Amino acid sequence: MQTVSATDRRLLQPQFRRILRNDGCNLINPEPVTQTEAPIASPIATLRALHPGALPAEIALTGPGLVIGRDARCAAVVVRREGVSRRHCWIGRHQAGPWTIRDLDSRNGVFVNGQRIEGEHALAAGDVVGLGRSRLADFELNINGLERQVVLSGTGPWRIGRDLACELSLPADPGVSQQHAIMRQQDGQLLLEDSGSRNGTWLNGRRIRRARLQPGDSIILAGSRVRLETTKPEPRLAVSTIEQALSVQVQALSTGSAPGQGLSFEILPARLQALVVADTEQRLALLDVLAGMRTPSGGALAWSEPELNQARARLRTRVGRVGRREVPVCAVPVEAWLEQQASLAAAGDVSEKSRRERVATILAELNANHLNALNLDRLTALEQALVQLASELLTNPGLLLVDVPAALESASDRAELLDRLQALAGPRLSIVLALDQPLDIVPGAAHIDIHIGAPGPMARERDRALRPRGFSAAASRALLRDQLRGWRRQPLMLFETLALPVLLVAGLWLALPDHSDSWILLVSLGLAAALGAAFQVSRQPGRLLRTARRHLLLDDALLAVFTAACLVAAVQTGLGLTVFLLLPDSSLTPGLFLAAILSALSGTALGLVCGAIAGHRSELALLLVASLGAGMVVADSLAEKGLALASPLPWSQAVADMATAPHAAALGAAIMAIQLTGLVLVARYLLQRRL
């Protein structure tokens, strides 16, 4: 944002004479030169910016209104963003009429509640306005603190979602699905049912699939709150956004890292604060608890949003965490990587254009538009911290936790980062700097006093089994790309993994001359695929598992890692078959080819299970695969004694003999499919436990 010079002021229309500045945004307060009309007694109305940082949180609407645009010489509120015209729109009132918005022939249009307007359009409390974009609003109209009122007419059912065709449309909330939920009348009562949304439907702090509604119930859909006021004669809803700065009171909190100590302190809303915890382990554990990533062993937290006290899963969205290195070092543009992160946080059906707009808005808030032209492997330490900060802001958190010692080591970089954070803190965002020692370079940050006493009673876990978010193909693709980039960053390990079937086929053929070539091939492909999949999970578990935990991803992460492991297994199978064909007197039949594919898939699923058990311990994953492989070989040798179900090897051999025993081959393929499904479900259960 730029200031308006004296020369620019002389170029303004005569009625614009006084210039105010607020948080870096130019506000030109119109004053009529001649008093041709009596002052209008209007209600208190403000435009509330829906993004922290570049624009002031509240813009007062007074007098004949304000012009919004890109050019400071003719606009009252300057929004320097792509898609905004020089004079984009006007918002004001005519006499005692309603507040009105007028499109000043802008190139990209004005959108109210997602609908493009033509000419003038009357505004109501709670309406959201987008400049040049329908799916990412810029302002919300606030009139005397009233909420947007929606009456559901007819007999229903009534759809709720981001789609403009919904009876209750929330197009400006990227966390709301196109068809998020549905309301209907049933047996004289109002019923709310989730429509398979990605981010879930929350009723009075509980995530629900289906529930009956009563007047006064509070429904949360991503960043929007819907309150049911009345049900008769027609349902009346009050709609508002909940993306406000958070505060929390912590009482006798015990994280388990410091036994016998209970921490008590308060984080105030809408400001930058410093929290000094010298012990690194205790500081990280405390941040994990506040971010909903860890369950406290004692004490209590009282959040300013009551729903957060009952639903720890929502903390993953409302609280951001910066500190641990999450930005990969690879030749990927910053903008592309942030778009992938946006796909993890938003609803699964958000368009690529909307994700790009969100990323551009966040980078503009951080005054870091230059990062778009850079790759991740070309970033300085400060730029990496800014990129990570941008990725956390994509979810519109109300509280941002910044572990300064882990984020930056240079004093100058710390000072620069803290300047950016001071500009972000405000009515929509509280920021806490977690420090190991007091810093003199944070003059604007309030210090949080910590009182240490006895720990509180054992916390009662209300979300013992956190429900994961709904599946998103876009999120799964983003995680898959990250998995494939991980192999590119470790070419030696990829080469070793791909060479496993070659070594196993040749080695077993030399070591076990009494076994058939087909048995050697099937054993080699199964073990090689299992080892490759186990390494896929355990070689870099930090990024995959932290991303899955951070965004409560389950099926998205499972599909991504299983697909990446299957791609590796496909190459392994091709190499193993090539070596097999080089063996003397070997021939590849259709049955053997199908058995080889099924063995590789079973090995992949087994490797996922071992990797999920081992976590970041690659050696344990290798030991588990070797032990289970040996156990299956033993079970195969005891097949005649009724232990055949414990191993896929006898069934894969039955499939290989398809030409001579088709019925046995069909049975073997069916049992192998059941074994594969069971292993995938076990892997899913283990990953869910890690959330």
Side-chain angles (χ1 to χ4, degrees):
M1 300 299 173
Q2 300 178 358
T3 58
V4 182
S5 65
T7 303
D8 292 336
R9 288 198 295 270
R10 289 195 297 270
L11 297 176
L12 299 177
Q13 300 176 13
Q15 67 266 30
F16 298 109
R17 301 193 308 175
R18 184 159 55 92
I19 297 175
L20 303 176
R21 296 196 63 203
N22 186 354
D23 291 345
C25 177
N26 299 325
L27 299 181
I28 305 175
N29 187 26
E31 287 185 355
V33 176
T34 58
Q35 295 293 335
T36 57
E37 300 176 354
I40 301 174
S42 61
I44 299 175
T46 59
L47 282 179
R48 187 167 65 88
L50 295 179
H51 310 291
L55 295 174
E58 299 284 345
I59 302 171
L61 295 176
T62 57
L66 298 173
V67 174
I68 303 175
R70 193 182 68 248
D71 194 341
R73 297 176 297 177
C74 52
V77 179
V78 179
V79 181
R80 299 192 184 279
R81 176 175 56 74
E82 182 181 358
V84 179
S85 301
R86 294 177 60 252
R87 300 176 70 248
H88 201 100
C89 65
W90 169 87
I91 298 180
R93 301 177 76 225
H94 299 293
Q95 296 295 331
W99 291 99
T100 303
I101 186 169
R102 182 195 309 153
D103 188 348
L104 300 178
D105 299 323
S106 64
R107 181 176 181 179
N108 296 303
V110 176
F111 297 82
V112 177
N113 298 328
Q115 299 277 11
R116 185 164 184 170
I117 67 169
E118 300 292 341
E120 287 196 358
H121 179 85
L123 295 175
D127 283 349
V128 291
V129 178
L131 307 181
R133 54 192 187 186
S134 61
R135 299 296 185 182
L136 190 61
D138 295 284
F139 302 99
E140 180 183 47
L141 180 64
N142 188 334
I143 302 177
N144 290 338
L146 299 177
E147 300 169 313
R148 175 185 167 196
Q149 300 291 315
V150 177
V151 177
L152 301 178
S153 58
T155 60
W158 303 280
R159 296 164 299 170
I160 305 174
R162 212 175 65 253
D163 195 328
L164 299 178
C166 291
E167 284 72 22
L168 175 55
S169 179
L170 304 168
D173 192 338
V176 174
S177 299
Q178 288 281 94
Q179 304 286 336
H180 197 105
I182 190 169
M183 283 186 183
R184 58 167 54 95
Q185 297 279 2
Q186 187 178 57
D187 300 331
Q189 290 186 307
L190 197 60
L191 185 69
L192 175 67
E193 185 175 356
D194 186 81
S195 300
S197 65
R198 173 163 169 75
N199 292 314
T201 301
W202 302 76
L203 176 63
N204 300 327
R206 291 187 307 108
R207 185 172 179 177
I208 57 98
R209 289 190 177 95
R210 186 174 181 177
R212 298 188 182 275
L213 298 178
Q214 300 291 336
D217 282 347
S218 176
I219 306 166
I220 291 181
L221 313 170
S224 302
R225 185 193 305 275
V226 180
R227 192 180 71 256
L228 179 62
E229 294 192 334
T230 60
T231 58
K232 297 179 180 180
E234 294 177 315
R236 179 181 295 274
L237 309 174
V239 184
S240 61
T241 59
I242 59 173
E243 294 164 354
Q244 302 293 327
L246 286 175
S247 63
V248 59
Q249 289 185 346
V250 179
Q251 300 176 353
L253 184 69
S254 174
T255 63
S257 60
Q261 287 189 1
L263 305 181
S264 300
F265 57 90
E266 181 178 6
I267 296 177
L268 300 177
R271 65 194 67 191
L272 179 67
Q273 300 164 86
L275 178 67
V276 179
V277 180
D279 184 75
T280 300
E281 182 180 356
Q282 187 177 20
R283 184 177 68 252
L284 295 179
L286 178 60
L287 295 182
D288 282 342
V289 170
L290 293 174
M293 305 292 289
R294 181 171 180 168
T295 304
S297 57
L301 293 88
W303 292 92
S304 55
E305 291 181 10
E307 296 84 2
L308 299 180
N309 298 323
Q310 304 177 26
R312 183 166 59 93
R314 279 192 55 79
L315 288 175
R316 309 282 180 97
T317 301
R318 296 293 288 134
V319 180
R321 170 85 181 274
V322 177
R324 294 179 179 176
R325 184 175 179 179
E326 301 286 348
V327 181
V329 181
C330 55
V332 175
V334 169
E335 184 178 21
W337 185 78
L338 288 176
E339 287 178 19
Q340 293 180 18
Q341 301 306 302
S343 68
L344 301 179
D349 46 18
V350 172
S351 66
E352 184 178 351
K353 178 182 177 182
S354 297
R355 293 198 297 266
R356 285 199 303 267
E357 289 176 346
R358 180 63 182 155
V359 169
T361 300
I362 294 298
L363 291 178
E365 292 170 2
L366 293 174
N367 194 22
N369 291 321
H370 68 284
L371 295 178
N372 276 334
L374 301 177
N375 288 344
L376 294 176
D377 57 354
R378 302 292 183 182
L379 300 180
T380 65
L382 175 61
E383 290 170 340
Q384 288 181 350
L386 291 177
V387 170
Q388 186 181 353
L389 181 61
S391 69
E392 291 296 325
L393 292 176
L394 289 170
T395 61
N396 280 333
L399 173 63
L400 186 64
L401 307 173
V402 183
D403 186 14
V404 178
L408 294 171
E409 296 181 358
S410 168
S412 60
D413 287 346
R414 285 186 180 185
E416 176 67 20
L417 177 63
L418 296 177
D419 287 341
R420 309 284 181 104
L421 294 176
Q422 281 181 325
L424 284 176
R428 297 184 57 79
L429 183 63
S430 307
I431 300 179
V432 172
L433 305 174
L435 308 168
D436 53 359
Q437 57 184 350
L439 291 180
D440 296 332
I441 59 175
V442 199
H447 183 73
I448 299 177
D449 294 326
I450 299 180
H451 302 284
I452 301 178
M458 184 67 67
R460 183 168 61 95
E461 178 57 44
R462 302 180 181 181
D463 289 326
R464 182 172 301 278
L466 293 179
R467 288 176 55 186
R469 301 168 67 191
F471 175 77
S472 166
S476 185
R477 287 194 298 269
L479 292 173
L480 176 59
R481 284 191 289 267
D482 188 64
Q483 289 290 299
L484 297 180
R485 281 197 300 265
W487 283 118
R488 286 208 307 263
R489 290 193 295 270
Q490 296 178 307
L492 181 59
M493 181 174 289
L494 177 61
F495 175 78
E496 294 173 348
T497 303
L498 296 179
L500 281 174
V502 176
L503 299 175
L504 287 173
V505 170
L508 291 178
W509 182 77
L510 294 174
L512 303 173
D514 296 335
H515 286 73
S516 65
D517 293 347
S518 61
W519 185 90
I520 290 174
L521 174 65
L522 298 177
V523 170
S524 300
L525 292 181
L527 285 176
L531 289 170
F535 283 139
Q536 184 73 33
V537 179
S538 62
R539 63 187 173 85
Q540 271 191 329
R543 181 167 296 117
L544 174 66
L545 295 179
R546 281 201 301 270
T547 301
R549 293 188 67 214
R550 171 69 179 85
H551 298 285
L552 281 177
L553 308 177
L554 180 57
D555 294 328
D556 322 69
L558 182 63
L559 179 60
V561 71
F562 185 70
T563 303
C566 284
L567 291 176
V568 174
V571 179
Q572 290 177 327
T573 302
L575 294 174
L577 290 173
T578 301
V579 176
F580 172 78
L581 292 175
L582 296 178
L583 298 178
D585 302 327
S586 62
S587 62
L588 183 61
T589 63
L592 182 57
F593 180 74
L594 178 60
I597 294 176
L598 292 176
S599 295
L601 288 175
S602 297
T604 300
L606 177 63
L608 290 182
V609 172
C610 295
I613 295 175
H616 64 279
R617 294 163 293 184
S618 301
E619 298 81 2
L620 178 58
L622 176 62
L623 180 61
L624 287 174
V625 171
S627 301
L628 290 175
M632 288 183 180
V633 171
V634 173
D636 178 41
S637 65
L638 300 177
E640 296 180 356
K641 297 183 180 179
L643 298 179
L645 287 176
S647 171
L649 289 179
W651 304 112
S652 63
Q653 288 179 297
V655 174
D657 297 332
M658 180 187 301
T660 58
H663 296 292
L667 177 61
I671 292 180
M672 290 191 71
I674 295 174
Q675 290 174 339
L676 173 62
T677 304
L679 288 173
V680 171
L681 292 178
V682 171
R684 185 182 187 275
Y685 171 77
L686 293 173
L687 287 177
Q688 185 174 10
R689 295 289 297 176
R690 288 187 173 272
L691 295 182

